[in-house]
Amino acid sequence: MLSTRHIIDIEDLTLADLTLILDTAESFKEVNERRIKKLPTLRGRTIVNLFLEPSTRTRTSFELAAKRLSADGINFAASASATVKGESLVDTAETLSAMACDLVILRHKYAGSPRMLAKHMDAHIINGGDGMHQHPTQALLDLFTMRERLGHLEGLTVGIVGDISHSRVAGSLVPALKMVGARPIVIGPPTLMPARPDALGAEVSYTLDDVLPELDVAYMLRIQMERAEGMPFPSVREYSRLWGMNEARLARMRPDAIVMHPGPMNRGVEISSAVADSPRAVVLDQVNAGVAVRMAAMYLLLGGDASDATA
Amino acid sequence: MEYRTKATVMDAEAISRAVTRIAHEILEANKGAKNLAFVGIVTRGATLAETLAGKIRDIEGADVPVGTLDISFYRDDLAMRLSPEVHRTDIPFDVEGRDVVLVDDVLFTGRTIRSAMDAIMDYGRPHSIQLAVLVDRGHRELPIRADYVGKNVPSSAKERVKVYFESMDGRDAAEILEAAEGGEE
């Protein structure tokens, strides 16, 4: 069983928790390959997707995971939520509690909001991404994909490339990698690094080309094009030339090294089309793993502790 | 809770004889091994299924495919705080149209078997599902009975019946266990 009631920060999990989630997700992945992709496991449980910040793929992934476990899922989108009418998050939490929800997945633009929700609800909480802070199930599905493709996690060198300072993906992945004994390196221009990159606990490199041959995984972060106007680099073209993953860079990596991306990809910016479509890019594997990992997280949170089963 | 052995109901020889008899009964009831497949419920049902398949190979010279099934996801008592840890399910054959023999070590309430039947149906539509168990200890809560039984063992609902296999436990035996004195029920 998990040692935690909620998955809010990756640090909520012990190494044993993390391994249990990945191992359980393997069984769910097998289910997702069956003709009938449905289990009765969480029948009668209510899972709420409270997405107060726009998201399509994460919400869909959680929704599919809940449906495949036979849970009753409810989606609250930002536009339809009472929060746009001025309701506070605490009021929303109390309303959902009164409706006897079992699990809430919260995406919110402010860091720390899932923690606050957890304080005001009996339900289990999964952080579906909070501001620039964390996105723990993304880190878990990334670890799952690495373990599946490379056979192990311990000792892997993983370069996380791009906008480190604004990335909740990096915020979760760096501690997750450290927990499993991998070596994270954050890579990007100084203008996209946090003020004190060493505080992340990862190695820091300001030149992608220098560390390329060492990497088992090049994890390309998305450049948020919607914010590109205010981006602290001269042009998207220059970013792509200095920091983008292209065929020439891929050729300089180890032959078995893989390229990852949390999606959605900006082809031609952080990743070239040729690399994105190559067998060494595992972006669709990540999406596939996402459903299985989220099924595992839901199952284990709602599962409870060990006792003898009746035969 | 701590348990101690109250009685050994099957020793290695008794288990070996029961497995041989069950293998013959399965072959007879199904007129050979042609359409058969075994699905063992993890963990000891899977071991027993492998043993039965080996026995049928000895008797008939036929290879019966063996799969393993973990029914954790199909149990109806997750809310009763069942351990959520799961093992791998691996059914490397098409169950469609097969005569599937579900194999478990102990038959008790019948809930595991009901869950296992649900799970198998999700893989396809077998021609038939049959049930083979080494020990039937009674106390059924659902209308389920085994087609092939190694031994019927009357037991108290408070007791446990535990099967040990050489490959997993270093010995073959079936024992009735009771709560050790001072142990909590």
Side-chain angles (χ1 to χ4, degrees), chain A residues 1-2 20 23-24 26-28 30-31 34-36 38-43 45 69 299-300 302-311, chain B residues 3 72-89 96 106-112 119 121-124 160:
Chain A
M1 64 176 293
L2 295 181
L20 178 60
D23 290 348
T24 307
E26 273 190 36
S27 295
F28 284 119
E30 181 269 326
V31 170
R34 292 186 198 172
R35 192 166 54 86
I36 299 172
K38 186 112 176 159
L39 296 167
T41 317
L42 297 184
R43 205 173 48 193
R45 302 304 188 95
L69 292 171
Y299 171 71
L300 292 168
L302 292 172
D305 62 9
S307 68
D308 289 342
T310 55
Chain B
Y3 286 90
S72 304
F73 300 147
Y74 288 85
R75 294 213 54 124
D76 56 7
D77 49 5
L78 187 68
M80 291 160 64
R81 310 190 74 71
L82 179 74
S83 168
E85 286 178 42
V86 295
H87 303 275
R88 285 306 294 268
T89 288
E96 197 76 26
V106 179
L107 177 58
F108 183 27
T109 63
R111 291 178 188 273
T112 296
M121 293 295 191
D122 277 359
Y123 281 87
R160 294 180 67 190

Side-chain angles (χ1 to χ4, degrees), chain A residues 63-85:
Chain A
E63 194 178 337
L64 202 54
K67 281 189 191 322
R68 288 193 176 164
L69 292 171
S70 301
D72 296 314
I74 299 167
N75 287 317
F76 281 83
S79 57
S81 163
T83 54
V84 295
K85 299 174 188 165

Side-chain angles (χ1 to χ4, degrees), chain A residues 50-60 76-80 83-84 106-110 128-131 135 168 222 224 226-227 263-264:
Chain A
L50 185 58
F51 275 63
L52 302 179
E53 189 189 60
S55 158
T56 303
R57 67 179 55 212
T58 302
R59 184 181 54 74
T60 309
F76 281 83
S79 57
T83 54
V84 295
L106 176 67
R107 166 161 293 194
H108 203 285
K109 64 182 172 183
Y110 293 128
D130 61 336
H135 190 0
R168 57 189 171 209
R222 187 170 79 93
Q224 299 188 34
E226 61 275 22
R227 296 181 193 161

Side-chain angles (χ1 to χ4, degrees), chain A residues 232-285:
Chain A
F233 47 79
S235 71
V236 168
R237 191 157 164 246
E238 184 189 284
Y239 180 86
S240 174
R241 193 168 55 80
L242 290 173
W243 304 100
M245 181 54 66
N246 52 36
E247 282 177 293
R249 288 204 167 98
L250 189 60
R252 293 189 53 226
M253 294 178 69
R254 290 178 182 167
D256 58 345
I258 57 171
V259 179
M260 300 178 73
H261 191 293
M265 292 183 284
N266 295 308
R267 288 171 179 257
V269 182
E270 66 267 3
I271 187 166
S272 74
S273 247
V275 173
D277 295 332
S278 83
R280 291 172 66 184
V282 296
V283 184
L284 293 178
D285 296 34

Side-chain angles (χ1 to χ4, degrees), chain A residues 145-168:
Chain A
T145 308
M146 287 178 210
R147 191 173 81 164
E148 191 175 48
R149 285 295 288 246
L150 301 169
H152 63 102
L153 292 170
E154 194 174 352
L156 289 182
T157 300
V158 180
I160 304 168
V161 188
D163 184 0
I164 305 297
S165 63
H166 294 97
S167 174
R168 57 189 171 209

Side-chain angles (χ1 to χ4, degrees), chain A residues 180-208:
Chain A
V180 297
R183 174 189 170 212
I185 309 177
V186 291
I187 305 162
T191 50
L192 292 181
M193 284 287 179
R196 289 201 47 215
D198 54 316
L200 289 171
E203 292 176 41
V204 182
S205 171
Y206 298 105
T207 321
L208 173 60

